[in-house]
Amino acid sequence: MELSSLLKSLQLESPPDRGDPECPAAAGPPAEPVLSQILLLFSAEGVGGSAKAGMVRDLRALFEAADCQWLFGGCRPNVTPKLLGDLVAALSHYAALPKQESDTGGPPSNDGIYTAVADRTVDVGLVFLSLLAKMEATKGSKSLGAVVVRQVLPHCLGLIYIFTVTHHAEKPWTSPRSRSVAQELLTLLVQVAGCGSVAEFLQGKSEDEEGRFAAVMGLLKPELTQETWKRSPATKHVFSWTLHQVTRPWLSRHLESVLPPSLLLSDDYQEENKILGVCCLHHIILNVPAADLNQFNRAQVVYHALYHHLYVREAQLIQVVLLCLLDLLLVLERSPQRLSQEPRAASPCHEVLQLVLTHMEAEHRLPLRRVYARNLPAYVKRLGILIAQHLKRLERVIVGYLEVCDGPDEAARLGILETLKCTIQHAWPRMACRLAVLLKALLRMIWDVSTDGGLTPQPVKTALLHGAMECLILLDHCSQGQVKILLEGIYHSCEDATLRACIRQVQENT
């Protein structure tokens, strides 16, 4: 029997009182054999795409017309929750992206495939909206609502959630219409589950409540293995977005399920996947207690994975890796105060800074220079007085970066000035012997900025001059006034107004 004929055979007339979910259902065959027949027809081999599209539209009409009592069986168990779950799974599979047969690293580039996926997503999303609306309507019935909450929702919500997250954001396989339907569906899904947000849906309302994150990860797990994750282009995005909704203290109980996929993504050869994986690792580091991360040497595993990325030459990846490492070092290392009381030893923070400075010294590409310089001050602050172990190489990096203009924003120079400022503040006893080199580099940079007739905006020039003056003042303090003495002769022999104004401000500072 065809689906359209099957639907016509259902005498789903409106019951005497549609406002009461517990009133007797209209005459017609029970829901279980009907849904079983629909699932059988939809899953049959040889059914074409147009035929399935027609079935999906007919199924939407069925759910819209069906009575809650007939559909969910509040008075008599005439439909198995697993059957609805199987039907939801079949519909999700129908709207899913085609699997990749080879390690191409992304979905097919055929726009026709994307258009077809978006159209199917809209049709299936409307079916799910109708089904969830019926579930929401059962909340007015104590017995029927209990059946839905205890039996039906566990089989359906996880699958519908993955479907919505796959299509709710702007991706190559979505359209404005499919995103709108998916976002509406996600809102209704959270409402049906009795939650106020997606985070609450996944985590639970309290720390003791389980939430549905474990169920979602159970559904994603087969698609997140080393052999399968690249065949499902959307799975990595679903995993990443879902992971970022779960925070402390709930995430720690799921560490075993989220850490391996994150490491797997970060270990890929494609930059996009590496960045996605590192961002997932960073979220885990921020939201899992240090004791759990250090157990079984998990933190060390993550550290070695991130340290390996420091050898790449992609600026965007280096940016996320340096930020992630900075927070991981707090987990791996004891406080700098305690470190300073012990003999010097190679520690993760020293290893990272040594490698970063080595790369900075030889780096000529401006995007990477900007990234390094922007993140260097945080590492100097983290080491504190222990930065003195790296002063020789750090001095060469500072001087080299102050010499080179890196464009209108001058991000590298501004970052290096902040680095020098932090270095002077933390390692001031070691600055006197480096005074001549640093003073010469700062004055040369001030001269370059004041005589620059290029495209550098005036606010950027002002920021550079202000940063240089702060460094000169700090150098003067830690050298017991030697900077003012050296600047006195320059002030009288210099004719540049900007340089004279900077020197005057340093001399007037008390």
Side-chain angles (χ1 to χ4, degrees):
M1 181 186 297
E2 293 184 358
L3 182 56
S4 56
S5 303
L6 181 64
L7 295 177
K8 290 179 181 178
S9 70
L10 300 177
Q11 301 174 5
L12 295 176
E13 303 291 340
S14 298
D17 182 10
R18 294 290 288 182
D20 182 7
E22 298 194 48
C23 67
E32 183 172 4
V34 171
L35 294 177
S36 297
Q37 184 69 14
I38 292 173
L39 181 60
L40 184 63
L41 290 172
F42 193 80
S43 304
E45 295 183 4
V47 180
S50 59
K52 285 192 174 183
M55 292 182 189
V56 171
R57 289 189 289 269
D58 290 340
L59 187 56
R60 176 191 172 192
L62 169 64
F63 284 149
E64 289 177 346
D67 182 77
C68 294
Q69 180 66 44
W70 176 85
L71 186 59
F72 301 115
C75 296
R76 55 191 178 96
N78 57 355
V79 58
T80 60
K82 186 178 182 304
L83 186 58
L84 275 174
D86 292 342
L87 189 57
V88 169
L91 291 169
S92 298
H93 184 266
Y94 165 70
L97 282 164
K99 299 290 185 181
Q100 304 304 296
E101 296 301 330
S102 60
D103 185 11
T104 59
S109 58
N110 190 336
D111 291 339
I113 296 179
Y114 293 150
T115 303
V117 168
D119 292 341
R120 291 197 297 266
T121 298
V122 172
D123 292 339
V124 173
L126 293 175
V127 175
F128 289 161
L129 282 171
S130 300
L131 179 60
L132 289 180
K134 293 300 178 182
M135 295 182 186
E136 180 69 11
T138 63
K139 291 183 177 180
S141 166
K142 185 176 180 180
S143 60
L144 197 57
V147 170
V148 171
V149 170
R150 289 197 305 266
Q151 300 180 30
V152 179
L153 292 186
H155 287 83
C156 298
L157 289 192
L159 292 165
I160 298 178
Y161 170 84
I162 292 175
F163 171 84
T164 60
V165 177
T166 300
H167 302 284
H168 85 294
E170 187 173 356
K171 299 295 179 185
W173 55 85
T174 64
S175 65
R177 175 62 174 154
S178 67
R179 291 194 294 271
S180 175
V181 170
Q183 289 163 4
E184 182 182 355
L185 183 59
L186 184 60
T187 301
L188 182 57
L189 177 71
V190 171
Q191 180 181 341
V192 169
C195 303
S197 64
V198 175
E200 187 178 306
F201 171 83
L202 294 168
Q203 299 172 161
K205 295 181 180 180
S206 64
E207 185 175 352
D208 298 330
E209 190 174 339
E210 180 63 28
R212 294 170 178 83
F213 183 72
V216 171
M217 286 302 302
L219 295 170
L220 289 176
K221 185 176 180 180
E223 303 294 332
L224 285 172
T225 66
Q226 188 171 1
E227 294 76 21
T228 60
W229 74 272
K230 280 214 166 184
R231 297 188 61 203
S232 304
T235 302
K236 61 186 179 183
H237 299 290
V238 175
F239 167 71
S240 175
W241 192 86
T242 301
L243 173 64
H244 281 78
Q245 308 307 307
V246 183
T247 56
R248 183 187 296 260
W250 292 274
L251 188 58
S252 59
R253 69 183 68 167
H254 305 289
L255 183 57
E256 289 294 336
S257 65
V258 299
L259 186 57
S262 302
L263 287 169
L264 188 62
L265 289 172
S266 72
D267 193 41
D268 190 53
Y269 68 92
Q270 287 189 305
E271 183 183 0
E272 174 196 358
N273 296 328
K274 288 180 181 179
I275 293 173
L276 194 65
V278 172
C279 290
C280 290
L281 291 172
H282 197 181
H283 180 79
I284 292 171
I285 292 166
L286 292 174
N287 290 279
V288 173
D292 293 337
L293 289 171
N294 282 317
Q295 191 177 25
F296 308 122
N297 279 334
R298 294 188 186 104
Q300 285 289 342
V301 172
V302 176
Y303 169 71
H304 288 298
L306 294 173
Y307 188 83
H308 175 74
H309 289 317
L310 291 177
Y311 289 94
V312 303
R313 306 259 67 78
E314 288 87 15
Q316 190 176 0
L317 177 58
I318 290 293
Q319 173 66 34
V320 296
V321 168
L322 288 175
L323 290 176
C324 186
L325 274 170
L326 192 64
D327 289 312
L328 180 61
L329 293 175
L330 286 176
V331 177
L332 291 170
E333 295 186 326
R334 291 160 291 180
S335 66
Q337 289 77 11
R338 292 186 61 184
L339 276 173
S340 62
Q341 299 171 2
E342 299 178 1
R344 297 178 184 178
S347 67
C349 193
H350 287 285
E351 290 176 349
V352 170
L353 186 60
Q354 182 176 356
L355 183 60
V356 168
L357 291 176
T358 300
H359 289 165
M360 290 183 72
E361 194 173 0
E363 187 56 59
H364 64 277
R365 281 166 284 194
L366 291 181
L368 269 173
R369 289 170 68 94
R370 295 184 185 111
V371 169
Y372 285 135
R374 188 185 303 122
N375 291 277
L376 192 56
Y379 283 86
V380 174
K381 293 176 183 177
R382 178 65 51 81
L383 281 175
I385 185 60
L386 296 178
I387 191 62
Q389 299 180 30
H390 304 274
L391 282 182
K392 186 175 181 180
R393 178 168 284 149
L394 181 58
E395 177 190 296
R396 296 199 300 267
V397 169
I398 290 173
V399 172
Y401 275 59
L402 288 178
E403 290 177 349
V404 180
C405 172
D406 64 297
D409 294 335
E410 294 281 14
R413 273 179 166 175
L414 288 171
I416 284 298
L417 285 172
E418 181 64 24
T419 300
L420 177 57
K421 177 181 173 182
C422 296
T423 303
I424 298 171
Q425 290 172 334
H426 289 288
W428 59 268
R430 300 289 186 90
M431 289 296 109
C433 61
R434 292 174 168 80
L435 183 60
V437 175
L438 294 175
L439 180 58
K440 182 179 179 181
L442 287 169
L443 291 175
R444 180 184 293 146
M445 193 211 72
I446 295 174
W447 172 265
D448 290 343
V449 172
S450 64
T451 58
D452 178 23
L455 301 177
T456 306
Q458 187 58 42
V460 175
K461 291 183 177 181
T462 303
L464 287 171
L465 295 174
H466 179 73
M469 284 189 295
E470 284 187 324
C471 292
L472 288 172
I473 291 170
L474 288 173
L475 283 172
D476 184 65
H477 289 332
C478 66
S479 65
Q480 299 179 345
Q482 290 298 310
V483 172
K484 290 179 180 177
I485 296 174
L486 294 171
L487 290 179
E488 184 68 27
I490 298 176
Y491 181 80
H492 293 294
S493 61
C494 178
E495 298 180 357
D496 183 79
T498 303
L499 183 56
R500 287 172 62 89
C502 292
I503 294 174
R504 185 170 58 253
Q505 291 187 42
V506 174
Q507 290 176 327
E508 292 174 355
N509 183 272
T510 58

